[in-house]
Amino acid sequence: MTDLRKPPDVRRVLTVVAVGGAAGAAARYGASLLWPDAPGTFPWTTFGVNAVGCALMGVLMVLITPARTTPVHPLVRPFLATGVLGGFTTFSTYAVDSERLLDGGRVRTGLMYLALTPLTALAAVWAATVLTRRAVARRREAGGR
Amino acid sequence: MNWLCVLAGAAIGAPLRYLTDRGMRARFGAAFPWGTFAVNVAGSFVLGVVTGVAGAASPHTQLFLGTGLCGALTTYSTFGYETSLLAEGRMPFAAVANVVGSVAAGLGAAFLGVTCAEALWG
């Protein structure tokens, strides 16, 4: 039995973060192959990946951090949040794509992408958090956990 | 082979982000998300370099360093979540500063990376 109150060994955390990060990055790479972003246009795929990743983060953090009677396994957060979702979403591609658009004379598209991504990301985290909290509360009232 | 490059890069980038975050927390405390800020700015610079050298780097190197390593080293989901924590913790100024600071510094780092690469290899 794993003691759920004891912080896990760093090497085990690093391992699950690496595996989760690789899985998340593979999903992002897959999305970029399925829906490639043409240079000089609004990078919808990266935009969508980051928005979806932020929404999932909002859901996950409500599910694993509230005052629960049964604590989750200590490797769940490093694997899913730091690993999978951290590897799936990307800030560097966002920054470089914005720079490429602005530097390439696509100033309006670049500025729109630059501003719209953080606004959408924050709205996604917020909406997912609120909706998940509501769903959890309703389940508790209905006699769930 | 393309997939392997992405997987290998990400398997390095994601733990590097975790270790940076731990180190920054130990040094500067947990009041402001300096760890995520640091990896996002550093990753934007490196990806800028990778993008700037374009022709000089093989497609596999670009997938390993760019899509894999930089992609997994940097994160939008944690950035968004930590910003929402700052806002919920009644630190609206810190939340706004995190967004504006990260976006400005990330964009600046990307520009610097591309410019350096073009000057050195262009």
Side-chain angles (χ1 to χ4, degrees), chain B residues 9 16 34 41 55 65 79 92 113 119-120:
Chain B
L16 205 57
W34 287 113
V41 174
L65 283 179
F79 164 65
L120 288 170

Side-chain angles (χ1 to χ4, degrees), chain B residues 24-104:
Chain B
M24 295 299 261
R25 255 169 227 277
R27 199 175 162 84
F28 300 107
F32 191 82
W34 287 113
T36 305
F37 178 84
V39 288
N40 279 348
V41 174
S44 298
F45 174 78
V46 177
L47 186 63
V49 173
V50 173
T51 307
V53 301
S58 76
H60 285 151
T61 310
Q62 297 207 20
L63 284 173
F64 171 73
L65 283 179
T67 312
L69 206 150
C70 291
L73 174 67
T74 63
T75 173
Y76 227 97
S77 48
T78 303
F79 164 65
Y81 174 68
E82 286 171 341
T83 305
S84 81
L85 281 187
L86 289 173
E88 278 206 331
R90 299 184 192 286
M91 294 172 73
F93 178 76
V96 173
N98 189 36
V99 175
V100 175
S102 295
V103 169

Side-chain angles (χ1 to χ4, degrees), chain A residues 10 13 17-18 22 25-26 28-29 50 54 57 61 82 85-86 89-96 99-100 117-118 121 133, chain B residues 2-3 7 10-11 14-15 17-18 22 40 43-44 47-48 51 63 67 70-71 74-78 81 88 102-103 111 114:
Chain A
V10 180
V13 174
V17 167
R28 171 165 44 81
Y29 178 54
N50 282 335
C54 283
M57 184 67 111
M61 296 316 274
T82 313
L85 293 179
T89 60
T90 174
F91 191 93
S92 49
T93 309
Y94 155 75
V96 170
E99 195 279 333
R100 292 284 79 190
T117 300
R133 274 186 194 150
Chain B
N2 287 356
W3 287 89
L7 291 172
R17 168 163 43 81
Y18 174 77
R22 253 175 66 120
N40 279 348
S44 298
L47 186 63
T51 307
L63 284 173
T67 312
C70 291
T74 63
T75 173
Y76 227 97
S77 48
T78 303
Y81 174 68
E88 278 206 331
S102 295
V103 169
F111 174 77
V114 171

